Amino acid sequence: MRNIEIKNATNTSMSIKEKIDAGRLPQHVAIIMDGNGRWAKAQGKDRSFGHREGVVSVRKVVEAASRIGLKYLTLYTFSTENWNRPREEVEALMSLLVMAIHKETPNLMKNNVRLLAIGDLSRLPEKAYASLLDCMAQTSANTGTSVVLALSYSSRWEITAAVRELAARVNRQELAINEITENSISACLTTHGIPDPDLLIRTGGEQRISNFLLWQLSYAELYFTEKYWPEFREEELYSALLDYQVRERRFGKTSEQL
């Protein structure tokens, strides 16, 4: 859908971005960035080439999100299951993460973007962890789009950790069982303080959630595209946002109640 233009009655062109109602943007967009390896294979390249091109898409999409005024953008960067990939690929991904964070920090500052991270960050290599913390500290005062990297993250890991925390509080008699609510569960998740996603985008043609934000996505709109992540740039994000804006979000109610 790249570079699609729609002609209006006066024969002037209106881009996809211009058709988006800035007053009806989702507050939080989450993206499963899928297809780097398959895209690289289609180019006759190795998987690392796809991951490097995927970093370019991250930059373009973050810049587009900042320009249009998204409040939160969460990127599924590395799952807990990804640790089971071949060691060479994991090491290459971690090295790429360090380089990308170091290189992109000035751009985040220029665009007033704040970097956050969720997941079992203790599993990250020391150098990657240090780079991440440094970038988060440098951008902590920025007030534009908050970009959340889901690193060493999976939803079952997160929910299990939350259950353990609540059980420990009950055991210490700090919390009664009947006091456990949706809000108390949400407060124990790594995303506490971050609004639930309104829109989930998955690239690469697959139509599944892949253990990502299972609790938080309860009422999110889902958008799947055949585009591989290295092909997903500004116009693809704007197309997803435009699609979101034509949907009716009922949250269990009827259209008449809305």
Side-chain angles (χ1 to χ4, degrees), residues 14-209:
M14 181 179 292
S15 69
I16 296 175
K17 180 183 177 184
E18 291 170 330
K19 293 201 71 179
I20 294 171
D21 183 351
R24 295 177 54 239
L25 287 172
Q27 187 175 19
H28 184 178
V29 175
I31 304 180
I32 299 175
M33 306 179 293
D34 193 19
N36 287 347
R38 285 176 288 153
W39 178 84
K41 185 177 180 180
Q43 313 301 313
K45 307 285 188 178
D46 60 25
R47 294 176 62 86
S48 62
F49 177 75
H51 294 314
R52 290 194 298 271
E53 286 300 306
V55 170
V56 178
S57 287
V58 169
R59 181 189 311 123
K60 296 292 186 181
V61 168
V62 168
E63 289 174 350
S66 177
R67 282 195 297 269
I68 205 164
L70 287 183
K71 293 298 183 183
Y72 289 88
L73 175 68
T74 295
L75 303 175
Y76 202 6
T77 309
F78 192 88
S79 73
T80 55
E81 291 82 4
N82 288 154
W83 290 114
N84 297 319
R85 289 188 176 186
R87 187 183 67 179
E88 294 78 9
E89 182 174 355
V90 171
E91 290 177 349
L93 282 168
M94 289 297 110
S95 295
L96 182 61
L97 176 64
V98 172
M99 290 187 293
I101 290 175
H102 179 73
K103 183 178 180 180
E104 295 303 322
T105 299
N107 288 332
L108 298 179
M109 294 300 297
K110 181 181 70 175
N111 292 308
N112 195 29
V113 172
R114 178 177 63 152
L115 185 70
L116 303 172
I118 59 174
D120 188 3
L121 304 181
S122 65
R123 296 187 66 181
L124 295 177
E126 183 177 349
K127 194 170 183 179
Y129 185 58
S131 294
L132 178 65
L133 290 185
D134 181 61
C135 183
M136 290 170 62
Q138 288 191 54
T139 63
S140 61
N142 291 345
T143 57
T145 302
S146 291
V147 173
V148 185
L149 299 184
L151 284 163
S152 189
Y153 172 91
S154 77
S155 196
R156 288 189 174 185
W157 162 83
E158 177 184 43
I159 293 171
T160 299
V163 170
R164 287 174 177 163
E165 172 62 23
L166 290 169
R169 291 182 186 178
V170 171
N171 190 52
R172 295 192 299 264
Q173 298 184 344
E174 297 172 357
L175 183 72
I177 291 177
N178 61 6
E179 293 176 331
I180 297 176
T181 64
E182 289 188 12
N183 287 338
S184 62
I185 294 172
S186 293
C188 288
L189 300 177
T190 61
T191 53
H192 65 274
I194 299 172
D196 290 343
D198 304 294
L199 172 65
L200 170 72
I201 300 170
R202 179 168 187 149
T203 65
E206 304 292 356
Q207 299 186 21
R208 53 178 177 263
I209 305 301

